[in-house]
Amino acid sequence: MTDVTITRRSALLGAAALPLVASALPANTAQAAAPMMGVDNTPFARFKLGEFEVTTLLAGAAVREEPHKIFGLNVDDTTFDKAAEDAFIPNDMARFFFTPTVVNTGSSLVLFDTGLPGDTPGVVSALAGAGYTPDQVDTVVLTHMHPDHIGGMMTGGKPTFPNASYVIGDTEYNFWKGKDNRIGKMMDGMVVPIEDKAKFIKPGDEVTGGITAVEAFGHTPGHMTFQLESGGQNLMLMADAANHYVFSLAHPDWEVSFDADKAAAAATRRRLLTMLAEERMPFVGYHMPFPALGYVEKRGEGFHYVPASYQLEM
Ligand SMILES: [Zn+2]
């Protein structure tokens, strides 16, 4: 460069040379780099619903590739990719969360679902983070029998929640019991051993005051969600009736690989989402981005997820 006039380009080149100068300074002026920690979430979030305290527990999270092989089996790639792009999420991978919920009604501690299995199940670690021990859990409610919901029932062959009684859907239990498949076998190890401590219920039955089972068949034959009501406030524990905050809400009729009866699951999803939107009722979605709490807004032919902010923290 022969031209000594300071141009924008030469000014930028000058700036680029600065790090060389900095690296020539004595090493003791630099701090050691902090370690990279990896993607993480807080393990629990607690909020109020009337007189209840509700805590969502992050028992695990995982990235899965090719979400179009899970959601939208009945639509083409272009439609799927457009839905992902519209929502600012990738079309080739999705992050799933596993979120049991524990409710303190004031007289009992009720845990909904138990997450994945493990030497120390994720639900136990998350409970500890939230300030609870497994022996404080009075009741364990199972929404359905998929392994990511019943996996924490037993630890080392013993009940993880030693003082708990159990509430289980009658239809769901009877459908899987004795089945010679993955779920039947998982249930043999995780649920059948506590059968004599379980109460078997139907949709419409109460778990305890203010907690009612709601029919949500389709994802599995006896899948149920649970409506909480305290002090005039309501919240739905949606379990797996809607499993993705975009694909399940914007496109409730999309077929989902995990749904046993795809048409029934879609009808259930639309019915519950319509009710949540009309009632402006918050919900917790078991597989939704942590803390898994949000609202449903009607949008076009489908719905839109509105993550909760501080509505239930006052
Ligand atoms: Zn699930």
Side-chain angles (χ1 to χ4, degrees), residues 57 59-60 62 64 96-100 112-117 121-123 142-153 182-183 186 190 219-220 223 239-240 243 258 286-287:
L57 303 164
R64 293 275 307 259
F96 289 91
F97 302 76
F98 300 86
T99 318
F112 293 83
D113 289 338
T114 64
L116 297 154
V123 67
L142 296 176
T143 61
H144 65 298
M145 295 297 157
H146 277 168
D148 54 322
H149 296 255
I150 66 173
M153 288 282 284
R182 196 166 77 98
I183 295 171
M186 182 91 171
M190 289 289 173
H219 177 67
T220 59
H223 179 267
D240 283 9
N243 276 340
F258 301 135
Y286 190 83
H287 294 294

Side-chain angles (χ1 to χ4, degrees), residues 142-144 169-172 201-207 211-227 236-242 261 263-273 275-276:
L142 296 176
T143 61
H144 65 298
D170 187 41
T171 306
E172 181 74 357
I201 64 164
K202 295 189 180 341
D205 289 349
E206 265 201 348
V207 173
I211 303 179
T212 308
V214 176
E215 193 256 277
F217 299 168
H219 177 67
T220 59
H223 179 267
M224 292 197 293
T225 64
F226 290 85
Q227 187 166 335
M236 185 69 80
L237 298 177
M238 276 288 266
D240 283 9
D261 181 334
T268 291
R269 189 156 43 245
R270 190 169 273 287
R271 168 172 54 85
L272 291 175
L273 291 171
M275 188 274 281
L276 294 178

Side-chain angles (χ1 to χ4, degrees), residues 114 116-121 123-124 150-161 166 186-195:
T114 64
L116 297 154
D119 294 337
T120 304
V123 67
V124 172
I150 66 173
M153 288 282 284
M154 295 279 166
T155 308
K158 294 208 175 71
T160 306
F161 308 99
Y166 301 85
M186 182 91 171
M187 219 175 77
D188 277 347
M190 289 289 173
V191 187
V192 174
I194 55 80
E195 190 183 53

Side-chain angles (χ1 to χ4, degrees), residues 298-303:
K298 186 99 184 71
R299 184 179 287 187
E301 295 299 301
F303 304 89

